[in-house]
Amino acid sequence: MLRTREFFKMNNKHMTLGEFIISNQKSFKYSSGELSRLINSIRLAAKVVNHEIRKAGLVDITGAAGDINVQGEAQQKLDVLANNLFKQTLINREIVCGIASEEEDDYVVVEGNNKANENKYVLLMDPLDGSSNIDVNVSVGTIFSIYRRVSPVGTPVTQEDFLQKGNEQVAAGYVAYGTSTMLVFTTGNGVNGFTLNPAIGTFYLSHPNMKFPEIGKIYSVSEGYFTHFQEGMKRFLIHCKELNKEDNRPYTARYIGSLVSDFHRNLIKGGVYIYPATAINPKGKLRLLYECNPMAFICEQAGGTASDGFTRILDIKPTELHQRVPFYSGSKQLVAKAESFMNEFSSDEKPVYE
Ligand code: AHM
Ligand code: MG
């Protein structure tokens, strides 16, 4: 618990997330107030999910719920809970017209209480990413992505509202439930990070204008799959381990296996996160709509690069809700280096999207 003096110092000095939203509303792409209310709803749901996660070790809510999600993976109880909490918060507050989630087979049409839904935004989310880490007390995260609908307002949302290119995103963010809880987001005007003060349940602007260090030294890849990687990826990993004083090699390997945490650390310290194509998962593991697009938007807004090894993530036209793509993201120079190995040695395996 913070001592009283420190508590007041922190709470007087830093802007709260609520204050930030109000003072920045005019710079949001469309400033009708609807997006601000939506981000406020996410803030609320994040606090509730945070509360549940923080007591996960105390009550018997960890472990597989028994359901198998659309990806064929066992759902953890907290996945289900986080999904329901975010969904219910957004539905109750009548703030979106549709929701798509990694934990739902299909998109959810949100109808207004007494009238046709007049809301303009759809939300896509991975409500609890890295959930296999919950049982072992390792950080997890929530990832979200917001678009303007393309179908007419007042009609039920359609799949096309969700299958938009990432460069159409209006806002994106993540919540990192780590040693502290942080909400990091962008509305296309840079990236800002807010840390939750659990004593009073308020997010404070702790990391204004976050930027990837251009030159990173960390690479985050699950090297256990080395044998299944494409030649370009193998060469990049060998490069990371070689001795070279000029560019400070060998680099440092760090892999938590929790995308939000790995990405967040690299954003602060400088590095590259890669979930590449493998012989077993030729399209990689991560989902374009719920994980890669929002992280890519944040990444670029923070001065980094995000690609599938060849193509910019935000330029990919999605073809299905649960589509997977290889994911390379982080400090510009490191991603460029990985891409150069992919282009040189694996260009015949470049993913094609139609
Ligand atoms: P999930 O959405 O089922 O939690 O899977 C995504 C997670 C990422 O957070 C993480 O980077 C990756 O899966 C780890 O996968 P692996 O165990 O194959 O390295
Ligand atoms: Mg996930």
Side-chain angles (χ1 to χ4, degrees), residues 129 139-143 173-185 191-196 203-204 206-213 218 220 254-274 295 298-299 302 327 329-331:
D129 182 69
S139 307
V140 288
T142 295
I143 308 171
Y174 60 78
V175 186
Y177 308 99
T179 43
S180 55
T181 299
M182 274 193 75
L183 197 159
V184 175
F185 76 99
V191 178
N192 291 285
F194 300 82
T195 302
L196 181 67
F203 281 103
Y204 286 93
S206 51
H207 295 64
N209 197 20
M210 297 176 85
K211 291 282 175 217
F212 268 102
I218 297 173
S220 310
R254 289 283 182 275
Y255 190 73
I256 298 169
S258 198
L259 169 63
V260 169
S261 315
D262 279 312
F263 180 96
H264 184 72
R265 179 204 51 241
N266 293 351
L267 170 54
I268 291 172
K269 294 196 162 179
V272 59
Y273 170 95
I274 304 179
M295 295 312 244
I298 298 165
C299 187
F327 190 54
S329 69
S331 297

Side-chain angles (χ1 to χ4, degrees), residues 71 73 132 275-276 281 283-287 291 324-326:
Q71 320 288 342
E73 302 151 337
S132 63
Y275 204 109
N281 294 312
K283 293 181 177 164
K285 177 186 181 190
L286 302 180
R287 294 78 172 167
E291 293 161 328
R324 296 174 197 259
V325 289

Side-chain angles (χ1 to χ4, degrees), residues 309-330:
F310 302 92
T311 303
R312 181 182 179 227
I313 290 290
L314 299 181
D315 285 338
I316 299 170
K317 172 76 182 110
T319 48
E320 51 182 305
L321 283 178
H322 295 282
Q323 184 173 350
R324 296 174 197 259
V325 289
F327 190 54
Y328 294 58
S329 69

